[in-house]
Amino acid sequence: NSVGDSGSGGNTIRNNRVEGAASGIIIGSNDTNSVYNNIIINAKDDGITTFQQATGQKIVGNTIIKGSLACTEGIHVGSNQTDTLVANNFVDPACVTEISNAGTNTTLSTNIITGTLADLFTDPSTGDYTVKAASALINAGTTLGAPFNLDFLGVTRPAGAYDVGAYERQTAAATWEMVVTSVNPTSGAAITFSVASNDGDCSGNTPINSPTCTYNDGTAVTLTA
């Protein structure tokens, strides 16, 4: 089934994953509906479509994937729409038409409609459309503020600048702080570190507390008690 608003206006449609619908998300009548952080896969007709007279719709940060069905239009802005914002969306270039705009005073900003899924997403073969390292989606969006400053998983945007699509790329910390505690005894247990930290050899007795024991991300350390 499609996801849609009730026609009352001012609705929020967010954080949905819609697969195999005729149209993934349908925005009906009335004004200022917000549609963001949705993942729409395998829509037959439109991924996101607007119809009836309305002003101020916001279609932001969605990920639209073609799948095996037609995906006639990734995003459709109808001729009776005014002041629609379409920003930071990824639309699969395999759709027949990625973004169709017949509206008045529509803002189209930093949408991506190019690239291969394997280059952009972590593992599209298993339906994982999180953003992979070095993806063209990273930092390619427009900064829009609340409520668009949280992604599909609740991760705060931006991590640099806004990423395009439903997810913000999560990066590993540059450094990690090592904290070692012990049980029986609760203190005084001798710990040896196989690799010195950025602050020197952390070997000593518990508790061993940060920030005097930091390592670069990816460093393998063996602790011996």
Side-chain angles (χ1 to χ4, degrees):
N1 292 329
S2 302
V3 174
D5 76 292
S6 66
S8 60
N11 297 285
T12 296
I13 303 173
R14 66 183 178 189
N15 296 17
N16 297 285
R17 185 176 175 118
V18 184
E19 301 190 36
S23 291
I25 294 176
I26 301 172
I27 310 172
S29 60
N30 292 304
D31 304 333
T32 62
N33 298 294
S34 295
V35 179
Y36 61 97
N37 292 351
N38 299 286
I39 303 166
I40 299 144
I41 304 167
N42 208 27
K44 178 182 177 182
D45 298 320
D46 302 335
I48 300 172
T49 188
T50 62
F51 70 97
Q52 301 185 21
Q53 185 172 352
T55 299
Q57 316 283 28
K58 294 179 173 61
I59 304 171
V60 173
N62 301 283
T63 297
I64 300 172
I65 305 297
K66 177 185 181 298
S68 61
L69 299 179
C71 186
T72 305
E73 295 176 321
I75 297 173
H76 173 72
V77 180
S79 60
N80 44 17
Q81 302 290 310
T82 303
D83 297 331
T84 304
L85 172 64
V86 182
N88 298 356
N89 301 283
F90 171 78
V91 181
D92 193 333
C95 291
V96 176
T97 301
E98 293 90 356
I99 299 175
S100 171
N101 172 40
T104 301
N105 201 32
T106 302
T107 299
L108 298 169
S109 179
T110 54
N111 301 286
I112 291 183
I113 57 175
T114 60
T116 63
L117 302 185
D119 290 337
L120 300 172
F121 300 106
T122 300
D123 192 358
S125 65
T126 63
D128 184 351
Y129 295 104
T130 54
V131 180
K132 72 184 301 182
S135 170
L137 304 175
I138 296 173
N139 297 341
T142 299
T143 297
L144 297 173
F148 310 115
N149 60 328
L150 298 176
D151 79 346
F152 186 91
L153 297 174
V155 173
T156 300
R157 304 180 192 261
Y162 276 44
D163 294 352
V164 168
Y167 293 102
E168 187 78 4
R169 168 76 179 170
Q170 299 183 63
T171 56
T175 60
W176 298 91
E177 297 177 354
M178 181 75 78
V179 178
V180 184
T181 59
S182 60
V183 176
N184 192 24
T186 57
S187 64
I191 306 293
T192 301
F193 286 65
S194 64
V195 177
S197 76
N198 297 335
D199 312 289
D201 187 2
C202 293
S203 299
N205 296 327
T206 58
I208 299 170
N209 298 314
S210 60
T212 58
C213 187
T214 62
Y215 287 89
N216 294 335
D217 183 60
T219 304
V221 184
T222 299
L223 307 183
T224 303

